[in-house]
């Protein structure tokens, strides 16, 4: 029997180092985290000629240093988490828990690494270790390269600490890398906290000092709202929102926060979430000391929600492009009263001593297990709750503004009367007469608008009711009738095909046809309110015409209307909402149907015609009804004007308004080519 | 004599609809298949669709015919598509039958992978029902119709005004002229953030299908 070991070829160093941690800033950040674990208060990263090949990087800290055992059994060991062996440090810090792979990536950035460390425990000792990566090129396995830890004397005035010098860099560190590194270092140890004894990493580069100046500015007092949410170790959460004066405006219990997730407990460690929301409007900042531009720049650089575990930032949460709480997405989906990453800044902090959340090996965030999902849900629920409360508040504000509007108008009137009183007597009567005439015309306009609004509200309610019950009508009763008819047909045929054909076929066919006509109502109603149709997009006019006529076909057939489409060649299109184009055509068809009914027209004909001239499409709808009679041609477009008893008088108003919104115009001939009304709609199009 | 389909026997079909008259009407088609029909007066006691499968097994039904809108009349705590998915996972043949519209199709799309058959209620008859159950059983046995087999395909975002919670895509490998509506919530987080007009993703989709209501997507990935 012989004893053997698994051994690693030197190539593994490249795979674990460079390939797993491809960006230099990530690796260097790991060295800084090592300094944190060593209880350093300061750590400086110095970049020397790194904008070209062959440069050097020096990382110096004032931590507790390492003894020979620490170097051999800690620093040189790859793949073991500090956390698995480490309890809190002398300063009570919880080790960040590097597995040493990021460190390996950083160390391999150059051809050589020189480690110099002075342990706190051994006051007169310094240890040096040189790693020359070239030596690993010619050996078979990693263990074949022997490394030597040199021990030397250290003067009594030299403080403990560690220096790592990486020489002869294999790649350049670009400007963007430096900026990313500077940003990561600044945010590493929660610069927004107030702990003066905290960890202060520094980068000796101008990019860093600019950012550091910026981060120190701390514009938190300029935030309009501060969301404070906490979840305890049992999963119970609470939250409050403070205004810019620090006064509490809203408060939430666990049930309020979790109302949309069955009041479940959060399965995550005890966590604190703070979010500062800014209203970047000139009116808000007019009375503040800071300028809107300064705050915007600060948020641009540091905005987003950063995640701190045991006091140290976990990348990439909150970094540019890593909107882990979907703040911007939710804002896009429902923009009112929601912050974006450019208008808010926040931090999620939690203490995790038992590794409930585990970082991925390549340091690209946590493994997304239950604890992480719980943490994320907690923060998202808190933001959702704040958005709901702010929306409620905005609704109340709008209601009170509506109530205040008449008061404002009365005050304006008093001011006007006073101003007229102050004018010379000679001009006063003329001014008073003009003001009164203006009042009267405004009042007429307001009355008209109120009537229009009332009509629109009534019709909207009718529409909403129709949609609500469309499922009901097109769904269940029709479904039952159809199933019943099909069953009768099936069973009767099975009993006696001859009897069925003779006695039942016709009435069964009649029921089927009638059912088809009934189904149109529900289908047409639901199709009209389809969300998609209310969004502006390319609309093919001919497709819309065909679609509507197709939907209305059973209705039109039921009313004995012969429809002819006389469409120009091609597919004229424009950019508009399909709903608007549909409302024009539907209302014009409805108008013709009402005219047929009113005049008892027997051979009913409806023609939809299109023509294109340059960039204008003309669509005409002609019928052979009675034409426009009993109302002036110019009045047919006015709301409420109708010759039909019980008519709304809104159809043609909607046509006019929709056409105008699309930049077109509308006109009518009392008796057109078919004898009845002919309505022309001209619309600017984008192409054919 | 039970109905024999693709090596399985169906003795009893459980009919799920929130309207008692509709349940009875569907029952006629089931009876004409020469199998017995079981109906459920309410599913409110079942908190999740997973519980339904145990419930059906207990009722000794071996297939399900289900309506889509189950919540309107306070009949169930879930909709028919969720229920059919659970049946599919438990290898219980289930046909979803409803008077669906375009929006219903969008809402169901993320589950269509597990809904082999969606019938318009007007098309439901003993023949279409038998074919539906047969197709389910074949899929349980690993035999997929070409229209149901998914393959990796390119998906292009056409417009992404996300205000309403959805966007449109085109699948050039299926039909480059048809825009398909997709809910933002149907995408995994990393893909969701990349939804912009012109952006392309890869996804698995059943590009062999003919109608847009049959199309489903899964395994979205950034391109």
């Amino acid at each position: 029997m012989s004893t053997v070991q698994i051994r690693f070829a030197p190539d593994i160093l490249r795979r674990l180092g460079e390939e797993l941690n491809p960006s230099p800033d990530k690796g260097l950040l790991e060295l800084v985290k090592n300094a944190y674990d060593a209880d350093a208060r300061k750590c400086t990263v110095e970049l020397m000629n790194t904008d070209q090949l062959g440069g050097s990087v020096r990382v110096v800290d004032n931590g507790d240093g390492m003894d020979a055992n620490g170097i051999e059994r800690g620093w040189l060991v790859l793949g073991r988490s500090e956390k698995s062996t480490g309890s809190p440090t002398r300063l009570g810090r919880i080790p960040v828990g590097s597995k040493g792979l990021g460190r390996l990536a950083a160390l391999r950035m150059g051809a050589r690494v020189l480690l110099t460390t002075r342990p706190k425990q051994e006051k007169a000792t310094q240890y040096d270790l040189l790693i020359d990566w070239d030596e690993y090129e010619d050996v078979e396995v990693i263990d074949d390269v022997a490394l030597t830890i040199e021990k030397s004397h250290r003067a009594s005035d030299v403080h403990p600490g560690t220096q790592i010098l990486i020489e002869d860099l294999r790649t350049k560190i670009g400007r963007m890398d430096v900026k990313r590194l500077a940003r990561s270092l600044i945010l590493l140890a929660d610069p927004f906290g107030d702990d003066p004894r905290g960890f202060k990493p520094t980068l000796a580069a101008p990019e860093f000092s600019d950012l550091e100046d910026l981060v120190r500015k701390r514009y938190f007092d300029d935030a309009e709202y501060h969301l404070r949410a906490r979840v305890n170790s049992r999963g119970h959460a609470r939250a409050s929102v403070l205004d810019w004066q620090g006064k509490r405006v809203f408060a939430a219990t666990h049930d309020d926060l979790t109302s949309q997730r069955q009041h479940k407990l959060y399965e995550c460690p005890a966590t604190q979430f703070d979010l500062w929301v800014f209203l970047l409007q000139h009116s808000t900042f007019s009375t503040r000391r800071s300028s809107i531009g300064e705050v915007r720049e600060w948020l641009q650089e540091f905005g987003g929600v950063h995640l701190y575990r045991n006091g140290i930032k976990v990348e990439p949460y909150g970094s540019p492009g890593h909107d882990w709480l979907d703040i911007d997405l939710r804002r896009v989906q429902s923009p009112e009263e929601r912050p974006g990453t450019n208008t808010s800044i926040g931090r999620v902090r939690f203490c995790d001593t038992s590794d409930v959340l585990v970082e991925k090996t390549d340091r690209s965030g946590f493994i997304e297990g239950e604890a992480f999902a719980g943490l994320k849900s907690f923060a998202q629920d808190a933001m959702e709750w704040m958005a709901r409360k702010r929306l409620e508040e905005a609704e109340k504000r709008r209601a009170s503004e509506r109530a205040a509007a008449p008061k404002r108008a009365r005050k304006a009137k008093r001011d006007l009367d006073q101003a007229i009183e102050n004018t010379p007597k000679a001009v006063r009567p003329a001014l008073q007469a003009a003001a009164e005439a203006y009042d009267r015309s405004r009042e007429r306009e307001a009355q008209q608008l109120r009537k229009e609004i009332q009509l629109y509200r009534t019709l909207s309610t009718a529409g909403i009711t129709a949609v609500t019950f469309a499922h009901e009508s097109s769904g269940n009763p029709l479904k039952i009738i159809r199933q019943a008819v099909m069953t009768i047909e099936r069973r009767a045929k099975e009993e006696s095909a001859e009897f069925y054909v003779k006695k039942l076929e016709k009435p069964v066919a009649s029921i089927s046809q009638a059912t088809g006509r009934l189904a149109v109502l529900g289908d047409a109603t639901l199709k009209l309110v389809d969300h998609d149709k209310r969004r502006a997009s390319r609309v093919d006019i001919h497709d819309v015409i065909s679609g509507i006529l197709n939907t209305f076909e059973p209705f039109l057939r039921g009313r004995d209307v012969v429809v002819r489409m006389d469409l120009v060649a091609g597919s004229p299109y424009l950019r508009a909402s399909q709903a608007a184009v549909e409302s024009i055509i539907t209302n014009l068809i409805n108008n013709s149907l009402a005219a047929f009914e009113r005049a008892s027209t027997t051979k009913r004909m409806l023609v939809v015609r299109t023509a294109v001239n340059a960039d204008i499409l003309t669509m005409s709808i002609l019928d052979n009804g009675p034409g426009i009679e009993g109302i002036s041609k110019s009045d047919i477009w006015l709301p409420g004007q109708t010759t039909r008893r019980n008519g709304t008088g809104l159809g043609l108003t909607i046509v006019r308004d929709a056409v105008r919104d699309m930049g077109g115009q509308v006109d009518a001939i009392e008796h057109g080519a078919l004898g009845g009304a002919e309505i022309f709609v001209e619309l600017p199009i984008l192409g054919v | 004599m039970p109905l024999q389909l693709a090596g399985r026997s169906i003795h009893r079909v459980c009919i799920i609809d929130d309207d008692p008259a509709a349940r009875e009407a569907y029952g006629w088609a089931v009876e004409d298949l020469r199998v017995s029909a079981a109906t459920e007066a309410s599913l409110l006691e079942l908190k999740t669709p997973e519980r339904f499968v145990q419930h059906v097994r207990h009722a000794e039904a071996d297939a399900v015919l289900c309506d889509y809108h189950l919540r309107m009349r306070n009949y169930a705590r879930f909709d028919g598509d969720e229920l059919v998915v659970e049946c599919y996972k438990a290898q219980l043949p289930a046909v979803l039958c409803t008077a669906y519209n375009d929006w219903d199709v969008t809402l169901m799309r993320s589950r269509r992978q597990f809904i082999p058959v969606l019938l318009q209620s007007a098309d439901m008859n003993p023949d279409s029902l038998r074919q539906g159950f047969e197709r389910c059983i074949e899929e349980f046995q690993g035999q997929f119709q070409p229209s149901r087999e998914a393959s990796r395909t390119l998906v292009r975002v056409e417009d992404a005004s996300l205000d309403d919670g959805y966007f449109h895509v085109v699948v050039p490998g299926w039909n480059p002229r048809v825009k398909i509506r997709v809910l933002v919530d149907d995408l995994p987080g990393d893909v969701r953030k990349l939804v912009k007009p012109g952006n392309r993703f890869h996804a698995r989709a059943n590009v062999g299908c003919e109608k847009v209501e049959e199309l489903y997507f899964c395994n979205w990935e950034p391109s």
Side-chain angles (χ1 to χ4, degrees):
Chain A
M1 195 170 96
S2 61
T3 305
V4 293
Q5 289 171 317
I6 293 176
R7 299 190 300 164
F8 291 98
D11 211 29
I12 194 73
L13 295 173
R14 184 168 57 76
R15 293 196 190 287
L16 287 178
E18 291 93 309
E19 291 180 12
L20 213 52
N21 288 283
S23 70
D25 59 302
K26 260 193 199 174
L28 290 173
L29 201 60
E30 289 302 315
L31 298 185
V32 177
K33 287 182 188 172
N34 287 169
Y36 174 83
D37 288 351
D39 278 345
R41 291 192 196 277
K42 283 185 185 166
C43 176
T44 305
V45 179
E46 210 179 328
L47 305 178
M48 294 163 287
N49 302 322
T50 51
D51 54 352
Q52 51 201 346
L53 293 179
S56 312
V57 178
R58 184 161 35 218
V59 182
V60 183
D61 72 54
N62 64 352
D64 290 352
M66 288 175 280
D67 56 15
N69 190 47
I71 298 171
E72 190 187 344
R73 296 185 179 275
W75 201 75
L76 286 174
V77 177
L78 302 176
R80 185 174 66 203
S81 170
E82 297 285 326
K83 181 157 283 185
S84 59
T85 57
S87 43
T89 64
R90 183 174 54 81
L91 292 182
R93 292 177 185 169
I94 294 161
V96 183
S98 160
K99 294 184 177 72
L101 300 179
R103 182 167 71 234
L104 174 69
L107 300 181
R108 284 187 57 84
M109 282 167 61
R112 286 177 306 284
V113 183
L114 178 63
L115 168 76
T116 304
T117 183
R118 300 174 293 276
K120 187 178 169 69
Q121 305 298 341
E122 299 173 31
K123 294 204 182 308
T125 310
Q126 170 172 315
Y127 293 101
D128 293 280
L129 168 78
L130 176 71
I131 304 175
D132 184 345
W133 296 113
D134 287 344
E135 289 180 21
Y136 288 84
E137 296 296 319
D138 303 324
V139 294
E140 200 177 324
V141 293
I142 294 171
D143 299 14
D144 290 347
V145 177
L147 298 174
T148 312
I149 301 171
E150 306 272 3
K151 184 176 181 180
S152 58
H153 177 73
R154 138 183 162 211
S156 58
D157 58 341
V158 180
H159 295 292
T162 299
Q163 172 183 295
I164 296 166
L165 179 64
I166 305 164
E167 290 182 319
D168 201 2
L169 292 195
R170 298 173 214 261
T171 54
K172 293 187 271 189
I173 301 182
R175 268 191 62 238
M176 288 313 292
D177 293 324
V178 175
K179 188 151 191 222
R180 255 200 325 268
L181 178 62
R183 191 177 183 282
S184 301
L185 288 178
I186 281 173
L187 291 173
L188 183 66
D190 188 7
F192 311 118
D194 299 318
D195 182 6
R197 296 165 303 126
F199 180 55
K200 297 269 184 296
T202 315
L203 176 69
E207 285 85 350
F208 183 85
S209 39
D210 291 350
L211 279 179
E212 197 184 27
D213 288 346
L214 195 58
V215 80
R216 278 199 192 122
K217 289 191 174 149
R218 297 168 52 92
Y219 293 103
F220 296 110
D221 289 346
D222 290 317
E224 202 65 18
Y225 292 100
H226 173 192
L227 167 68
R228 288 159 53 101
R230 307 287 183 258
V231 58
N232 64 22
S233 55
R234 295 189 309 281
H236 270 287
R238 65 194 154 82
S240 57
V241 173
L242 312 178
D243 67 8
W244 62 281
Q245 293 170 305
K247 290 183 185 154
R248 193 165 75 175
V249 283
F250 313 122
T253 61
H254 181 84
D255 283 352
D256 297 331
L257 291 174
T258 53
S259 59
Q260 294 178 346
R261 51 199 311 282
Q262 289 92 44
H263 309 299
K264 284 183 186 160
L265 297 175
Y266 294 104
E267 292 184 14
C268 62
T271 302
Q272 303 173 347
F273 172 35
D274 291 272
L275 183 75
W276 290 267
V277 180
F278 295 78
L279 291 188
L280 298 180
Q281 297 164 350
H282 290 286
S283 55
T284 313
F285 275 78
S286 59
T287 54
R288 308 260 169 98
R289 275 176 301 170
S290 333
S291 80
I292 192 167
E294 287 169 338
V295 177
R296 187 171 280 139
E297 187 193 357
W298 183 70
L299 288 171
Q300 203 97 43
E301 206 56 64
F302 301 112
V305 176
H306 307 284
L307 184 61
Y308 289 89
R309 176 167 68 166
N310 301 329
I312 289 291
K313 179 169 171 15
V314 182
E315 292 288 353
Y317 305 105
S319 297
H322 291 279
D323 175 16
W324 63 293
L325 295 176
D326 294 335
I327 295 177
D328 287 334
L329 181 72
R330 283 166 189 243
R331 181 181 167 88
V332 169
Q333 287 170 354
S334 169
E336 202 176 7
E337 309 301 333
R338 280 172 198 271
T341 50
N342 285 337
T343 56
S344 66
I345 184 166
R347 64 181 176 203
V348 169
R349 292 179 294 171
F350 64 98
C351 188
D352 178 18
T353 49
S354 46
D355 251 348
V356 175
L357 278 101
V358 180
E359 271 189 80
K360 295 179 195 165
T361 302
D362 63 357
R363 292 277 168 156
S364 61
F366 288 113
I367 294 170
E368 299 199 359
E370 265 182 23
F372 183 74
L375 186 84
K376 196 170 162 180
S377 303
F378 155 66
Q380 286 179 328
D381 288 350
M383 285 193 299
E384 278 301 311
W385 165 77
M386 180 168 75
R388 285 199 302 274
K389 297 305 285 184
R390 288 182 62 196
L391 198 60
E392 278 172 30
E393 193 193 37
E395 277 298 326
K396 280 185 199 156
R397 195 170 55 234
R398 278 195 283 269
S400 78
E401 275 170 8
R402 278 198 296 273
K407 281 186 200 160
R408 279 203 298 272
R410 280 199 296 274
K411 182 176 181 307
K413 178 77 173 80
R414 276 200 305 276
D415 291 347
L416 177 65
D417 290 344
Q418 188 60 51
I420 293 173
E421 277 299 308
N422 294 339
T423 56
K425 269 191 178 170
V427 296
R428 221 176 283 165
L431 282 176
Q432 273 164 346
E436 281 162 15
Y438 176 76
D439 277 350
R440 281 194 299 276
S441 72
R442 286 281 300 171
E443 185 51 35
R444 269 199 303 276
E445 192 185 347
Q447 262 181 12
Q448 192 56 47
L449 280 172
R450 278 195 289 273
K451 270 170 73 178
E452 239 175 272
I453 286 172
Q454 196 49 53
L455 259 171
Y456 270 101
R457 281 183 182 157
T458 310
L459 282 183
S460 298
T461 311
I464 291 164
T465 311
V467 170
T468 308
F469 294 108
H471 276 296
E472 201 74 8
S473 59
S474 76
N476 288 355
L478 291 179
K479 184 164 80 181
I480 294 160
I481 295 170
R482 280 176 168 144
Q483 283 300 323
V485 170
M486 284 193 287
T487 306
I488 290 168
E489 184 182 347
R490 214 166 44 233
R491 292 182 178 179
K493 277 181 180 169
E494 203 175 288
E495 281 299 315
S496 163
E498 194 188 342
F499 173 76
Y500 176 79
V501 172
K502 217 178 202 174
K503 295 284 183 187
L504 291 179
E505 191 167 34
K506 278 190 180 166
V508 164
S510 290
I511 300 172
S512 297
Q513 279 168 14
T515 316
R517 286 211 296 275
L518 270 177
V520 173
L521 185 63
D523 285 355
T525 313
L526 288 173
K527 277 184 181 162
L528 277 174
V529 296
D530 190 322
H531 255 273
D532 257 1
K533 294 182 176 173
R534 298 199 294 273
R535 295 161 71 164
S537 61
R538 176 186 161 135
V539 177
D540 187 319
I541 301 280
H542 287 176
D543 282 354
V544 178
I545 294 171
S546 310
I548 289 178
L549 290 177
N550 198 31
T551 305
F552 276 62
E553 195 273 335
F555 273 169
L556 295 167
R557 190 157 34 90
R559 294 188 181 207
D560 294 332
V561 179
V562 176
V563 181
R564 204 177 76 218
M565 281 200 285
D566 184 5
L567 306 182
V568 68
S571 304
Y573 64 90
L574 46 79
R575 187 173 160 76
S577 74
Q578 191 174 327
V581 179
E582 281 187 348
S583 69
I584 294 169
I585 301 167
T586 306
N587 278 306
L588 291 178
I589 292 175
N590 284 340
N591 206 49
S592 292
L593 293 180
F596 291 143
E597 187 184 329
R598 194 169 66 246
S600 305
T601 311
T602 46
K603 290 189 174 172
R604 299 169 174 184
M605 174 163 280
L606 181 80
V607 174
V608 182
R609 183 175 291 159
T610 59
V612 173
N613 187 5
D615 293 336
I616 300 291
L617 169 111
T618 305
M619 177 173 65
S620 342
I621 294 197
L622 311 74
D623 63 52
N624 63 344
I628 300 169
E629 288 179 341
I631 184 169
S632 110
K633 194 180 80 171
S634 57
D635 284 351
I636 59 172
W637 312 107
L638 297 176
Q641 300 295 319
T642 177
T643 54
R644 211 160 37 119
R645 278 199 335 198
N646 215 18
T648 63
L650 260 190
L652 291 179
T653 310
I654 292 170
V655 170
R656 179 199 63 186
D657 291 349
V659 171
R660 279 184 185 167
D661 285 350
M662 283 184 247
Q665 32 188 332
V666 66
D667 202 355
I669 299 179
E670 288 93 334
H671 299 281
L674 294 182
E678 185 166 344
I679 311 277
F680 298 95
V681 170
E682 285 186 351
L683 295 170
I685 52 169
L686 297 173
V688 180
Chain B
M1 179 80 177
L3 184 63
Q4 296 294 333
L5 295 174
R8 265 211 208 187
S9 304
I10 293 180
H11 299 79
R12 179 183 268 220
V13 175
C14 182
I15 300 170
I16 300 300
D17 196 300
D18 57 352
D19 184 340
R23 290 198 291 274
E24 190 182 7
Y26 280 156
W28 300 324
V30 172
E31 281 168 21
D32 288 355
L33 265 182
R34 308 281 183 261
V35 289
S36 69
T39 54
E40 291 293 339
S42 168
L43 299 183
L44 269 184
E45 295 215 336
L46 306 174
K47 296 218 165 115
T48 61
E50 290 90 334
R51 299 255 174 95
F52 172 76
V53 176
Q54 299 162 7
H55 181 78
V56 165
R57 293 242 154 96
H58 191 68
E60 295 182 347
D62 24 39
V64 175
L65 170 61
C66 185
D67 183 30
Y68 174 52
H69 295 289
L70 301 182
R71 287 195 259 214
M72 266 180 202
R73 295 168 183 230
N74 206 17
Y75 175 76
R77 295 166 196 264
F78 36 79
D79 278 322
D81 59 335
E82 297 170 73
L83 193 145
V84 170
V85 168
E86 284 311 313
C87 292
Y88 188 88
K89 288 179 180 168
Q91 304 221 332
L92 183 66
V95 166
L96 188 62
C97 178
T98 181
Y100 57 83
N101 58 35
D102 294 348
W103 182 243
D104 293 332
V105 167
T106 304
L107 292 175
M108 281 184 237
R109 196 175 310 283
S110 68
R111 298 193 174 100
R112 272 311 309 260
Q113 185 185 2
F114 306 110
I115 303 175
V117 185
L118 171 63
L119 279 182
Q120 273 288 5
S121 45
D123 297 332
M124 210 287 286
N125 55 50
D127 286 339
S128 61
L129 189 59
R130 185 180 52 237
Q131 282 167 13
F133 289 145
E134 196 164 22
R135 182 177 284 196
C136 293
I137 296 167
E138 282 169 0
E139 290 204 4
F140 302 152
Q141 295 166 347
Q143 297 168 40
F144 288 82
Q145 301 272 330
S147 63
R148 289 274 302 154
E149 266 180 317
S151 56
R152 191 167 180 264
T153 190
L154 192 73
V155 181
R156 187 179 69 235
V157 179
E158 280 297 290
D159 65 68
S161 153
L162 301 172
D163 315 27
D164 301 316
Y166 64 85
F167 60 102
H168 290 97
V169 298
V170 161
V171 182
W174 178 67
N175 185 338
R177 287 179 299 283
V178 174
K179 289 206 286 185
I180 303 145
R181 186 161 48 185
V182 178
L183 297 182
V184 175
D185 285 346
D186 289 350
L187 299 184
D190 55 336
V191 176
R192 206 182 292 174
K193 292 169 192 160
L194 302 174
V195 173
K196 275 188 205 149
N199 271 8
R200 288 166 169 79
F201 303 114
H202 276 106
R204 290 182 68 77
N206 53 333
V207 291
C209 69
E210 281 181 18
K211 297 175 188 164
V212 70
E213 60 261 38
E214 295 175 294
L215 196 65
Y216 68 77
F217 299 102
C218 57
N219 298 9
W220 290 87
E221 51 183 289
S223 181

